[in-house]
Amino acid sequence: MSCNDCNKVGDPRYDELKLYIDSLRDKPHFESYLIAVLHRAQELFGYLSEETMNYVSCDMNIPTAQIWGVATFYHFFNLTKQGKHTVSVCMGTACYVKGAADVLETLKKELGVEIGETSDDGIFTLGEARCVGACGLAPVMMIDDEIYGDLTADKVISIIKKYREEAKGAA
Amino acid sequence: MKANEITIYINNKQYKVQKGQTVMQAADSLGYHIPRLCYHPKLSIEGACRVCIVEVEGAKSFVASCAAPVVDGMRIHTNTKAIRQARRDIVELILDNHPQDCHTCERDGNCELQRLSASMGISKRFFEGERKHYEEDHSSKSVVRNPNKCILCGRCVRMCSQIQKVTNLGLAGRGFETVVMPAFEQGMEDSVCVNCGQCINICPTAAFLEQGHSEAVFDILSDDSVVKVVNVAPSVRAAIGESFGLEAGTNCEGQIFASLRKLGFDYVFDTNFTADLTIMEEAAELVERITTGGVLPMITSCSPGWVKCLEQFHPDMVAHLSTCKSPMSMAGAIIKTYFAGKIGVDPKHIVNVGVMPCTAKKYEAARPEMNTDGNISTDYSLTTRELAWMIKSAGIDFVNIKPEEPDNPIGLSTGAGVIFGATGGVMEAAIRTAYYMITGKEMGEVKVEAVRGFEGIKEATLDINDMEIRVAVAHGLGNAAKLMSIVKKHPERYHFIEIMACPGGCIGGGGQPYPMTNSIPLDEKSLAKRASALYNSDDANELRRSHENPFIKTLYDEFLGEPLSEKSHRLLHTHYQRREPNGIIPKEIEPLSA
């Protein structure tokens, strides 16, 4: 894509992003608002796609190599499309001792993804967490803000099934 | 005490120095060379490597001398036991995750990291760290990226963004996983890389290298079924000597031709001849554009890095590019038609090799627009560095070899052809011939001093037949970007513009020899010496103007007809295209701050 396409994207989220960028344009060191702009973009799109980064590059006149540097430096930025739910397996010491690795393996198999990836149905993104402060329930995983403890392989599968059915029911 | 003068102490000796310098600059001027790695005088201060630390009395930790300003009364120590140990540890930590495969590395013997390690006295290792395991990027026709050899000094990133204003390279990721790469981890081929190769020149290790063709050329040289032809670009002769320990600016023309014959080439030609030919066509094109209301300013197209830069960053300016092919591609076109006819060989059985100061020439050679009647014009393009290696590898005594002349009809050249290698040279050569084409008379003074030298942008106004011709010259793509923004604001200001992608022009090309131990990449003193080799060759030549070259006259009489003839257009001219590489295309590239 090139600059000439900037205004042709036809997605209202880009209009909103443009409004935000325009509101910063007169500030001193406009380019230093890149991180704020990328945050806004991630809020709007859920992640930073190449298309979005190209858009920001053209509109802010910052080379993509620099945007890519910022986007890959901060863990907060997602570079791939995120699922509806984020599943984080606690890999802290207590959970690890109690079998977090098996929980993770089960999830990888059940969802068909590696860490950081999103399942084909777009429902789950798999991640790792450090200690979530629920060591008494080890091993635990979080789905969004909900904690599930005392996990076994069967329990993990049934929890995932529940979310999957809910998501499909809603759709 | 003079104003702005302060007193500092280095290693307990008192000195008076100018205020406003860094500790490193002051030390340099006093004969103390503090070791350094990420520092480069032409680039911003990074302070990343910490190799240049010194001890400053009263400071709570060691100070990076590249970034710290001198202060009155400062007591600096550059060589204490503690600082030597700390520096040594820093370099060893850099070596820690380095492949340490020096004996199979292309930069063995001319690697800055290797030299630094030796000067630190690292003869025994205390640490072993985790190594990097990244895939090498061989996608580009010109530049190979090998992150495993990278020590993250960031010089290439700053070169690419600050001097060249291409900003293809960035530091991605963080911590141990930081990698220098183009945006989106795309291959160099798909990126906005213009193939200039300055990342190779500035890299202290082998994290960037040219896409090598020397082994393929060795294979061709032992193939008796083909005719092996080579042509050598102007600036190669001014620089190759440095690879053999000769002083920068030693003209090694005769040694190159002799070595190429010894390597096994059947015909050894000089790209200077086709530089003369380029001038015939380009000057004629300029005169035609001026007299018939064509697109102006006309911009030179000999520098393939610049051509790609314009195609992708200034796609609206494509019509301004001269349609002339570069001297290398003109050489290919003439070799595979006129010369093939002369020796009665099917062009399919001729292999033409260009020896170029340039990595982007590899990309140019592969551009289908450069083909001649369906045949590739330049089969292989070697850099100066690659040829130097081939000569060494074949055991040819380059320094002591008896100089030889190139073969005709693509050998004899004028002084106008040889100066192509320095910034402003194409302009000067074109002016000499355009003057003649417009007035029918020769210029009184052939030298056009205003377009010589290393000023970023040079301008001149010429009076030709009461016509005011305004010209400009830029070298380095950062200066080119600046000039383009002037042209976009003032489209009437210039008639003719010369742009070379590399700082200094081809003499500073991305394929030129690595700097010698006592100098740094892009050192202007070395570039000036290389340039003077070309200007001296011009001065020494009885023929100063391209149109005086008798073999050029014969070529037109026997084959092409006249400049811009139908045949010239078919063989010597081409077209360029708008490009939309995946990645940035900022609306305008900000001018360099003055």
Side-chain angles (χ1 to χ4, degrees), chain A residues 1-6 18 25 49-51 53-54 57-66 68-70 72-75, chain B residues 161 166-175 181-186 315 578 580-590:
Chain A
M1 90 167 248
S2 78
C3 290
N4 304 330
D5 298 332
C6 281
K18 181 155 185 58
R25 217 174 281 280
S49 64
E50 283 186 25
E51 184 191 78
M53 285 186 268
N54 271 324
S57 164
C58 292
D59 207 35
M60 294 185 76
N61 203 21
I62 297 173
T64 32
Q66 286 169 2
W68 178 247
V70 170
T72 54
F73 185 86
Y74 293 104
H75 289 304
Chain B
S161 62
V166 171
T167 320
N168 177 50
L169 298 174
L171 287 156
R174 73 192 297 173
M181 62 165 79
F184 314 136
E185 211 170 355
Q186 61 196 333
R578 288 163 173 260
E580 294 196 353
N582 184 17
I584 44 151
I585 308 179
K587 283 177 201 129
E588 52 182 324
I589 303 176
E590 282 296 304

Side-chain angles (χ1 to χ4, degrees), chain B residues 399-418:
Chain B
V399 176
N400 299 308
I401 202 169
K402 192 162 171 271
E404 293 177 15
E405 294 289 321
D407 292 311
N408 284 320
I410 308 175
L412 185 90
S413 61
T414 73
V418 76

Side-chain angles (χ1 to χ4, degrees), chain B residues 255-521:
Chain B
Q255 287 93 325
I256 297 173
F257 296 129
S259 300
L260 289 168
R261 286 207 181 90
K262 284 206 161 39
L263 277 171
F265 284 101
D266 301 312
Y267 295 92
V268 175
F269 291 144
D270 195 340
T271 323
N272 285 6
F273 172 84
T274 39
D276 279 336
L277 183 60
T278 302
I279 287 303
M280 296 302 290
E281 294 293 327
E282 199 156 349
E285 185 186 356
L286 176 66
V287 172
E288 188 187 72
R289 286 190 190 214
I290 290 175
T291 53
T292 64
V295 179
L296 291 172
M298 183 173 94
I299 309 176
T300 57
S301 58
C302 335
S303 167
W306 159 243
V307 169
K308 185 169 184 244
C309 180
L310 181 139
E311 287 176 324
Q312 66 191 22
F313 293 133
H314 311 283
D316 50 323
M317 304 284 285
V318 166
H320 290 261
L321 276 178
S322 160
T323 59
C324 290
K325 291 180 183 173
S326 72
M328 178 187 85
S329 289
M330 283 201 186
I334 294 299
I335 286 165
K336 300 232 172 161
T337 54
Y338 175 69
F339 173 71
K342 276 207 172 282
I343 59 168
V345 173
D346 181 345
K348 289 197 168 38
H349 296 133
I350 297 178
V351 175
N352 173 34
V353 177
V355 180
M356 299 288 139
C358 182
T359 49
K361 287 285 170 193
K362 293 170 186 283
Y363 171 83
E364 178 189 320
R367 284 182 75 133
E369 303 92 311
M370 299 301 159
N371 289 359
T372 306
D373 299 340
N375 293 315
I376 188 157
S377 299
T378 306
D379 297 85
Y380 297 98
S381 171
L382 298 173
T383 61
T384 309
R385 287 189 293 266
E386 286 177 281
L387 177 63
W389 177 80
M390 289 181 73
I391 291 170
K392 287 179 192 171
S393 181
I396 295 167
D397 184 4
F398 184 83
V399 176
N400 299 308
I401 202 169
K402 192 162 171 271
E404 293 177 15
E405 294 289 321
D407 292 311
N408 284 320
I410 308 175
L412 185 90
S413 61
T414 73
V418 76
I419 59 174
F420 258 60
T423 165
V426 177
M427 176 60 70
E428 185 169 338
I431 289 170
R432 293 179 191 175
T433 290
Y435 187 93
Y436 173 76
M437 285 180 174
I438 294 172
T439 64
K441 289 185 289 228
E442 301 295 0
M443 271 170 91
E445 170 59 61
V446 290
K447 285 188 188 171
V448 187
E449 291 287 351
V451 297
R452 295 189 178 189
F454 294 110
E455 193 69 38
I457 296 176
K458 293 166 280 187
E459 290 177 311
T461 304
L462 310 153
D463 178 15
I464 305 182
N465 251 10
D466 292 332
M467 201 165 30
E468 192 183 77
I469 305 289
R470 295 177 299 276
V471 302
V473 174
H475 60 111
L477 291 172
N479 293 319
K482 223 195 236 180
L483 185 54
M484 281 304 104
S485 54
I486 296 172
V487 168
K488 282 175 188 178
K489 271 186 213 127
H490 309 283
E492 308 283 311
R493 185 174 289 187
Y494 306 111
H495 296 94
F496 186 31
I497 291 174
E498 177 208 292
I499 292 180
M500 295 294 153
C502 292
C506 306
I507 48 169
Q512 294 282 43
Y514 290 116
M516 296 199 275
T517 47
N518 54 354
S519 75
I520 48 169

Side-chain angles (χ1 to χ4, degrees), chain B residues 115-130:
Chain B
R115 284 205 289 264
L116 194 62
S117 165
S119 76
M120 295 291 126
I122 301 179
S123 51
K124 192 172 145 206
R125 296 293 312 278
F126 294 106
F127 322 123
E128 256 330 308
E130 195 179 324

Side-chain angles (χ1 to χ4, degrees), chain B residues 154-162 167 169-171 180-181 202:
Chain B
R155 285 190 342 202
C156 55
V157 173
R158 284 174 285 154
M159 167 57 84
C160 193
S161 62
Q162 294 170 10
T167 320
L169 298 174
L171 287 156
V180 170
M181 62 165 79
I202 201 98

